[in-house]
Amino acid sequence: MEERSKLGRGLKEISQVYLSDSTRDEIRRAGDHKTEPGPRTIIRVCHPGSCLVQSFFLTNLALELARNQFPVFVWDGLDSSRAGIEPLMKSLVLEQRENEAATVRLYGLPDILIHGPGRHDADKLSDLVNIIHSSDNDCYLLVNADSSLESLMNDKIHAEHILLSGIDEKSLLQCYAHIRVIQGKGSPCGIFIVFDGLNDGKMAQDTFNRFAAFIEKKLQFTIYYLGYLSHDEYLHRSVEESKPLMLLQDRSETKDNMTAISRNLILFRQNHQKNS
Amino acid sequence: MSRILKPVSLQGVEYVHQICAQYFMEEHGMKIAEYNLGNTFTGNIDLLATDGESVFLVTINKKDFAGALLRSFMGLRWFNENLDFLMRVYPPEDIDLDLPVRLIILSQEFPPEIHSILNDVCSVPVQLYRYELLGSVDDPDIFIQDIGISKGSEQPAKQDLDELRKELGIEDAGLSDEEILEFQSAMKS
């Protein structure tokens, strides 16, 4: 019985992380998606309350986008800290040379290329932005941002924003302050909200309705709701074991939340492109 | 045949706390977690009760209103200062001490303008009840009249807002006091 159990775990490990180290033709990264190029594919992710949850979220969002065949670039603004992306993707990152992007290569999916100020100079981010802008396919640049307001104010990138927040009053006020600064910088793109640390969808939706109504009234600006992220044991296990949640085989509430959030983002962008 | 109930002096009537507690349990569905909490020197609460939405610190005035008011305020201060200890003593299934706190004062008399006085002074809501004991000393009946609530000042002071900005690291967002208060009010409603 013990042997059988061991065998089961082994197979599971293989299916969880099915890596491919073969070189990938860059044209294949482009895929057949023909969509409008532009800044809408650059997304700045920020959680003013928790760098770790922010990196966790971005890691799994990147994997979900790749699973939907979107090429993904990541700028990990937290790569010099322990709360960066790479520790969470440790088991997936291929060997890399200095000054090169960390590459996550999963079987059948576009590569995820991770850059960051710890390994590249700041011009690299501008290069990535140019790549995204000039690309004729629907690819994403996800920016794992420093969550301070100062960093937001100094940020020159024209991007959409995903703001993660708790639903307590202080977290929401922090989130509101970020939206205020984003709006103050002029011509804001889309701002998406994800509520973190709760498992009640109705409560999350009600909170968003109140929050969005206030912002609409006060700033004459519409924000969008992507969903909520519960914290179940798989989230903790994923962080502890440096294995992204989306690659764990077990069913998990947090994983379902993450899938729904990613789907909402993709659908929103598709609808937006159709309407524009 | 009618029965005439005559007011009874509090002198000689025992178990006033229990009689009042019975009123709150039967009329307001409250649960009494404790009787006579604290002490005269540091602050004293006659009844510690909850209705599942708030925690009530009940003070029953048996002598003079001024003394009872001071006792109620001291009880609130004692409660706030010892909250961590009380949370260890009382399990959440008995009383959830994270709930918002309200004061209740029962008295036979109240000074004029008491509601506006409490509104100006208090940071928590204060519910006032007028009560009278009727019948006989041995078997008293209680008559209790709800005379309203003073909502208290629930808005944080200016200094608190500065600290809040600092705590959240949002000083640079340029949010005015009015904007923060408006936001807090909108999120509560």
Side-chain angles (χ1 to χ4, degrees):
Chain A
M1 288 299 284
E2 206 172 308
E3 277 305 304
R4 194 185 166 113
S5 164
K6 273 184 185 172
L7 181 64
R9 274 205 300 277
L11 286 171
K12 203 162 139 188
E13 292 297 321
I14 292 167
S15 57
Q16 279 169 11
V17 186
Y18 195 9
L19 299 170
S20 164
D21 58 358
S22 61
T23 51
R24 183 83 36 89
D25 181 353
E26 276 305 307
I27 295 169
R28 187 153 177 266
R29 270 181 69 74
D32 294 327
H33 301 278
K34 289 280 178 189
T35 54
E36 297 245 336
R40 296 197 67 79
T41 47
I42 302 171
I43 299 177
R44 191 180 191 277
V45 178
C46 176
H47 189 328
S50 169
C51 294
L52 188 63
V53 175
Q54 176 184 309
S55 291
F56 168 87
F57 174 84
L58 191 143
T59 298
N60 288 289
L61 178 64
L63 287 166
E64 267 302 280
L65 292 172
R67 195 174 67 80
N68 284 278
Q69 297 300 322
F70 295 107
V72 179
F73 297 89
V74 173
W75 178 261
D76 186 5
L78 305 176
D79 68 347
S80 52
S81 77
R82 291 177 63 194
I85 298 290
E86 277 192 54
L88 293 167
M89 289 218 184
K90 201 162 65 182
S91 58
L92 304 180
V93 174
L94 299 180
E95 277 185 34
Q96 65 202 91
R97 290 182 203 144
E98 207 177 338
N99 297 327
E100 278 191 358
T103 306
V104 173
R105 182 164 295 158
L106 296 167
Y107 184 79
L109 306 185
D111 289 350
I112 298 170
L113 301 177
I114 305 168
H115 302 76
R119 195 178 300 116
H120 306 92
D121 56 35
D123 291 342
K124 185 66 192 174
L125 179 56
S126 307
D127 292 346
L128 290 175
V129 170
N130 289 335
I131 290 170
I132 297 291
H133 282 190
S134 58
S135 168
D136 66 347
N137 68 305
D138 204 357
C139 54
Y140 284 82
L141 169 59
L142 303 179
V143 179
N144 197 26
D146 179 330
S147 58
S148 67
L149 271 187
E150 191 187 356
S151 160
L152 176 61
M153 286 192 282
N154 294 331
D155 206 337
K156 301 280 189 295
I157 311 167
H158 192 65
E160 288 184 293
H161 296 260
I162 295 180
L163 289 172
L164 290 101
S165 170
I167 62 163
D168 59 290
E169 193 180 279
K170 284 184 178 177
S171 302
L172 290 170
L173 183 58
Q174 225 171 5
C175 192
Y176 173 67
H178 275 72
I179 294 172
R180 191 76 149 48
V181 169
I182 293 166
Q183 203 214 22
K185 288 173 74 178
S187 60
C189 297
I191 297 179
F192 302 96
I193 303 295
V194 172
F195 287 132
D196 165 48
L198 72 165
N199 52 10
D200 184 339
K202 186 177 180 308
M203 188 190 282
Q205 184 67 58
D206 289 347
T207 305
F208 175 77
N209 293 345
R210 280 205 304 279
F211 187 62
F214 182 80
I215 288 180
E216 185 91 50
K217 178 184 155 201
K218 199 75 188 168
L219 307 178
Q220 289 82 48
F221 186 71
T222 304
I223 56 172
Y224 303 97
Y225 178 57
L226 287 183
Y228 68 98
L229 192 66
S230 59
H231 286 197
D232 66 9
E233 60 175 300
Y234 291 94
L235 181 149
H236 299 288
R237 212 177 88 189
S238 156
V239 174
E240 277 169 16
E241 297 177 6
S242 301
K243 283 180 187 166
L245 180 75
M246 302 317 289
L247 298 181
L248 297 181
Q249 267 209 333
D250 299 312
R251 189 82 192 270
S252 140
E253 192 186 346
T254 309
K255 193 173 168 182
D256 290 346
N257 297 155
M258 207 54 236
T259 309
I261 289 166
S262 311
R263 189 179 57 237
N264 289 343
L265 177 67
I266 293 166
L267 285 176
F268 176 87
R269 293 197 59 249
Q270 284 172 350
N271 291 337
H272 185 88
Q273 281 163 356
K274 269 183 209 164
N275 296 334
S276 61
Chain B
M1 191 177 127
S2 60
R3 182 183 169 210
I4 297 170
L5 293 171
K6 291 180 181 174
V8 178
S9 164
L10 276 176
Q11 303 296 323
V13 176
E14 294 178 358
Y15 313 121
V16 177
H17 292 181
Q18 282 86 340
I19 297 169
C20 293
Q22 194 179 350
Y23 164 77
F24 286 116
M25 287 190 285
E26 290 179 3
E27 292 295 318
H28 296 282
M30 288 187 196
K31 183 178 174 184
I32 309 296
E34 192 62 275
Y35 294 83
N36 292 324
L37 201 59
N39 62 60
T40 319
F41 304 105
T42 57
N44 182 248
I45 300 161
D46 290 331
L47 304 173
L48 175 65
T50 182
D51 63 355
E53 291 180 357
S54 300
V55 169
F56 298 97
L57 312 185
V58 183
T59 299
I60 301 163
N61 173 27
K62 288 187 278 185
K63 276 187 183 172
D64 66 312
F65 182 77
L69 194 62
L70 179 63
R71 201 154 57 82
S72 176
F73 292 167
M74 285 172 73
L76 174 64
R77 182 169 172 271
W78 180 86
F79 176 84
N80 286 333
E81 285 184 347
N82 293 279
L83 194 55
D84 289 342
F85 165 74
L86 292 170
M87 280 177 160
R88 288 198 297 274
V89 173
Y90 297 100
E93 53 269 26
D94 282 357
I95 183 167
D96 182 357
L97 295 175
D98 274 332
L99 292 171
V101 176
R102 288 171 173 237
L103 295 178
I104 289 180
I105 300 175
L106 288 102
S107 179
Q108 291 181 309
E109 295 297 334
F110 290 96
E113 304 295 326
I114 184 64
H115 286 303
S116 55
I117 292 168
L118 292 174
N119 270 337
D120 285 346
V121 172
C122 294
S123 61
V124 297
V126 184
Q127 181 82 43
L128 301 177
Y129 292 91
R130 178 174 284 121
Y131 79 98
E132 195 154 5
L133 290 172
L134 306 162
S136 69
V137 172
D138 297 331
D139 184 20
D141 288 305
I142 193 164
F143 168 76
I144 294 183
Q145 183 188 9
D146 182 348
I147 63 163
I149 187 166
S150 304
K151 288 184 178 171
S153 165
E154 292 177 356
Q155 295 176 346
K158 187 175 187 301
Q159 184 56 37
D160 289 341
L161 293 181
D162 288 339
E163 281 175 15
L164 182 65
R165 287 189 191 93
K166 202 172 171 186
E167 181 192 339
L168 301 178
I170 57 170
E171 300 103 312
D172 295 335
L175 304 180
S176 66
D177 286 0
E178 292 71 29
E179 194 171 1
I180 293 177
L181 294 174
E182 198 182 338
F183 177 82
Q184 288 171 332
S185 166
M187 288 303 105
K188 275 180 189 146
S189 60

